[in-house]
Amino acid sequence: MKPLMKLLVGYDGSECADRAIEDLRRAGLPHEGEAIVLSAADVWLWPPPEQEGAAAPPPKVEMTGLSESRRAAEQALEQARQFAQRASERLREILPAWTVTPEALADSPAWALIKKSDEWKPDLLVIGSQGRSALSRLVFGSVSEKVVTEARCSVRVARGRAEVAEGPVRIAIGLDSSPNAEAAVAAVARREWPSGSEALLISVLDMMIMTSREWIEDFKEDEEAWGAKVTNGPIQQLTDAGLAVSSMIKRGDPKRIILEEADRWKAVSIFVGAIGLRGIEKFLLGSVASSIAARAHCSAEVVRTPEQ
């Protein structure tokens, strides 16, 4: 029996986080699975004095101030519990056959998600691209960036609209011949997409990193032969998964071209490998994957293999 997919969702109560939940309707998630919705209150919760083994408070801290600080921290943690519960209820409506568990922690939002993913080992960690609540700020450049670069699982930076249309979707995939790009293709192929959905394979040759010697020694095949070698397997794999597949090869800056082509094609999500090859095929490196996750107008998934 195939194991159930495990999903970890970071939620901070913001409008952006709500849209990230709605966007999961277009993520091709399976009919059944397990999910944890985690909200983090970015506070330090000092143990109560009566707790056995609790550390003593700092000697120069006034007890009145300490009590007020603890009350504020407890209120923030309670708000996090309410956020997690609310998001869990909505996720159950979207994924009625899934087991969804709310969880709240007093911790830095980024590290709470990273530590939970290390402990629980989800297949996918989902965060909103930007949050503005006082509880936590899932702003790319802080929490989202840290999660994308530090998490040991695949990460989806979800962007969506308040109302999500049902029906076929378009998925763009950044492609080279690295194992991580293969993992991105496999992740798309494993999902359950609506009938009529399409996939676009985008391969980009970064000419700026090449020298004449590299061209002679590392890239003796012409572009069309290279493109056929890179895309033939993924095209068959995605076609077998029920997707209509097209592909393209471009020259230039991968960060710019993948985003431009995904926008032009009106993709609802972009899948990229976390690490790609060096030399002529160098484009799906961490900096490029992070840039795509940060700048995409649609949702972006950075796919990692378990071996990473």
Side-chain angles (χ1 to χ4, degrees), residues 82-226:
Q82 293 173 9
F83 283 167
Q85 183 62 40
R86 185 180 78 191
S88 296
E89 290 170 0
R90 179 57 187 145
L91 191 56
R92 291 187 192 105
E93 293 175 2
I94 295 171
L95 302 169
W98 280 55
T99 300
V100 182
T101 305
E103 188 168 326
L105 296 173
D107 200 350
S108 160
W111 288 115
L113 290 166
I114 291 167
K115 287 185 285 188
K116 188 64 182 181
S117 69
D118 285 347
E119 170 196 329
W120 194 52
K121 295 180 171 43
D123 300 291
L124 182 64
L125 194 164
V126 178
I127 51 175
S129 62
Q130 188 178 37
R132 301 186 183 279
S133 76
L135 173 67
S136 64
R137 300 188 181 278
L138 298 184
V139 179
F140 213 98
S142 57
V143 175
S144 299
E145 183 178 19
K146 184 176 289 294
V147 169
V148 166
T149 57
E150 299 290 342
R152 294 181 177 88
C153 62
S154 298
V155 177
R156 181 180 180 92
V157 180
R159 298 173 176 91
R161 297 185 295 269
E163 296 181 3
V164 178
E166 301 289 346
V169 298
R170 288 184 161 188
I171 310 110
I173 306 171
L175 190 66
D176 62 8
S177 58
S178 70
N180 286 271
E182 294 173 1
V185 172
V188 174
R190 283 194 299 268
R191 303 282 176 88
E192 299 177 6
W193 305 103
S195 177
S197 294
E198 303 171 67
L200 173 65
L201 301 172
I202 307 172
S203 302
V204 184
L205 298 176
D206 190 348
M207 308 303 290
M208 296 298 293
I209 67 168
M210 293 169 50
T211 66
S212 298
R213 183 177 178 180
E214 285 174 329
W215 179 269
I216 293 170
E217 294 181 358
D218 298 334
F219 195 62
K220 296 179 180 177
E221 302 164 313
D222 60 32
E223 290 180 30
E224 285 160 5
W226 177 81

